Each structure stands twice: as structure tokens, then as C-alpha cells.
Amino acid sequence: GGKIHQLTGVPSAFTPDYAPEEMFEIAEKLYRKSR
């Protein structure tokens, strides 16, 4: 392997920016599809 480069970026690009009720709705849909 080679050297690991320290990458700079935007941390918020990796965190979802959803409201709690939107997260609940998404989780509900995923749960229903998994059953």
C-alpha cells in the first residue's frame, strides 16, 4: 500500500439533513418493504 492522504471535504455531505418526522417516514417505508 501507499501513503494515506488526508482528504479535506465537507463533513455535512455525509450526514442526512432530514427532519425527525421525515426520518420516521423513511424508516417506516423501509420497514414495510423489508417484510
Side-chain angles (χ1 to χ4, degrees), residues 1 5-6 10-11 16 19-20 22 26 32-33:
H5 298 284
Q6 289 296 329
V10 182
E22 287 177 307
I26 292 167
R32 272 192 247 122
K33 287 183 180 186

Side-chain angles (χ1 to χ4, degrees), residues 5-35:
H5 298 284
Q6 289 296 329
L7 301 176
T8 56
V10 182
S12 62
F14 299 100
T15 55
D17 192 22
Y18 295 110
E21 53 275 354
E22 287 177 307
M23 290 295 283
F24 182 74
E25 190 178 316
I26 292 167
E28 243 185 344
K29 287 179 184 178
L30 289 172
Y31 178 73
R32 272 192 247 122
K33 287 183 180 186
S34 73
R35 297 183 84 209

